[in-house]
Amino acid sequence: MEVIVKNNYQEISKLASQYLLNVVKAKNDAVLGLPTGGTPLGMYDIVVNEYKNKNISFQNVISFNLDEYIGLDENSKYSYYYFMNKNLFSHIDIKKENIHIPNGTTTDVQQECIEYENKIKEEGSMDILFLGIGKNGHIGFNEPSNYFEPYTHEVILQENTIKANSRFFKDAEGVPKTAITMGIKTILSAKKIILLATGESKADAVSKTIKGKITPGLPASILQLHNDITIITDKDAAKKI
Ligand code: GLP
């Protein structure tokens, strides 16, 4: 596990974007695993600029998002589909058919999870997967629990996650209570993982991820078992390492 502590958000975003861009430059049909949340926004900004400066093409790139809320469709401005479109996909030349995000409006969640997992397998494996982290150590939407859920599955969001994510909604009432997320084995199947964390509120989760006991009570701790993971944090998130 490699840990890189940067001075500020701009430096984190720059480094993260370099990892993403280098993978695509080395392999034009790279398979990317992508996160939502506030943390990766700076990285997406830089990637969009690189595209606008004609330094890169995403024409053959395939993407898989980590998760999606259940009940929100593509047009809902709170859905992760909308988020990804607004912040990345609508600005670059990735093909619509190469973008994969769990369908939050499916009538058969279980079937959607199986199909999502199969689609990832069909593409081989993700060349690089970016993760944020919840204050409670969740990755994707894998919430603390008493076992590691391996594959893509439905999850009931915890109160603290709903509260943390309510800042993106009009009010906490509007935050869906359930979501579809890649599982832990799905996440670990990526060839390379980059976890981004900023701010003091993540310090506890970051230190437990790096040097805590491996436990489903802190899902990110399982990342200790991956053989190519880089954690990029700012000084605040690194305070308890
Ligand atoms: C959500 C997402 C996670 C993300 C987390 C942290 O719960 N499902 O994938 O890592 O938020 O978000 P932020 O970067 O806004 O702190």
Side-chain angles (χ1 to χ4, degrees):
M1 190 178 256
E2 183 188 21
V3 181
I4 302 174
V5 183
K6 288 289 185 188
N7 287 316
N8 56 49
Y9 183 62
Q10 188 54 24
E11 284 183 18
I12 291 178
S13 303
K14 180 85 195 147
L15 181 59
S17 70
Q18 278 163 355
Y19 276 108
L20 193 156
L21 295 164
N22 286 343
V23 167
V24 176
K25 278 176 187 159
K27 187 180 174 202
N28 73 4
D29 58 350
V31 182
L32 307 179
L34 298 174
T36 52
T39 315
L41 283 174
M43 170 178 82
Y44 290 148
D45 253 7
I46 296 171
V47 169
V48 168
N49 271 330
E50 277 294 295
Y51 173 74
K52 285 186 176 154
N53 292 334
K54 302 198 178 1
N55 293 329
I56 189 126
S57 168
F58 294 86
Q59 267 204 348
N60 297 314
V61 165
I62 293 164
S63 75
F64 286 94
N65 261 78
L66 277 158
D67 45 19
E68 177 61 285
Y69 290 112
I70 291 178
L72 301 185
D73 68 25
E74 294 182 5
N75 302 315
S76 159
K77 63 176 184 188
Y78 304 118
S79 72
Y80 283 165
Y81 188 97
Y82 190 95
F83 174 100
M84 290 306 298
N85 229 15
K86 177 169 173 239
N87 295 302
L88 181 66
F89 297 145
S90 66
H91 306 286
I92 60 175
D93 61 347
I94 189 167
K95 291 186 187 123
K96 197 167 189 285
E97 65 266 30
N98 287 348
I99 296 170
H100 302 96
I101 301 181
N103 175 6
T105 55
T106 178
T107 49
D108 189 342
V109 174
Q110 222 180 338
Q111 187 57 26
E112 173 65 17
C113 292
I114 293 169
E115 283 171 17
Y116 200 69
E117 191 67 38
N118 286 342
K119 263 186 246 158
I120 298 172
K121 283 207 185 88
E122 275 163 29
E123 294 303 339
S125 52
M126 292 173 275
D127 291 292
I128 191 161
L129 166 65
F130 293 84
L131 297 173
I133 185 167
K135 290 177 200 160
N136 62 3
H138 76 223
I139 43 178
F141 265 137
N142 289 274
E143 296 280 40
S145 98
N146 47 15
Y147 73 112
F148 290 112
E149 188 88 55
Y151 300 112
T152 301
H153 60 283
E154 177 176 359
V155 66
I156 298 172
L157 302 178
Q158 296 189 353
E159 271 313 311
N160 49 7
T161 298
I162 291 176
K163 198 168 153 227
N165 289 2
S166 67
R167 70 188 196 278
F168 294 110
F169 290 74
K170 220 165 62 205
D171 51 48
E173 293 304 298
V175 186
K177 307 279 181 281
T178 53
I180 295 174
T181 181
M182 283 185 196
I184 292 296
K185 207 168 168 181
T186 330
I187 289 172
L188 292 178
S189 73
K191 289 179 194 151
K192 177 162 190 64
I193 297 177
I194 308 286
L195 184 142
L196 308 176
T198 59
E200 207 171 339
S201 68
K202 304 285 176 73
D204 202 41
V206 166
S207 97
K208 286 177 178 154
T209 298
I210 295 169
K211 56 182 193 189
K213 191 175 90 179
I214 297 175
T215 163
L218 194 113
S221 62
I222 194 80
L223 297 172
Q224 290 173 33
L225 299 182
H226 195 273
N227 58 17
D228 191 355
I229 166 148
T230 301
I231 297 185
I232 311 175
T233 80
D234 61 6
K235 288 186 174 144
D236 286 340
K239 258 187 183 158
K240 295 187 179 170
I241 297 176

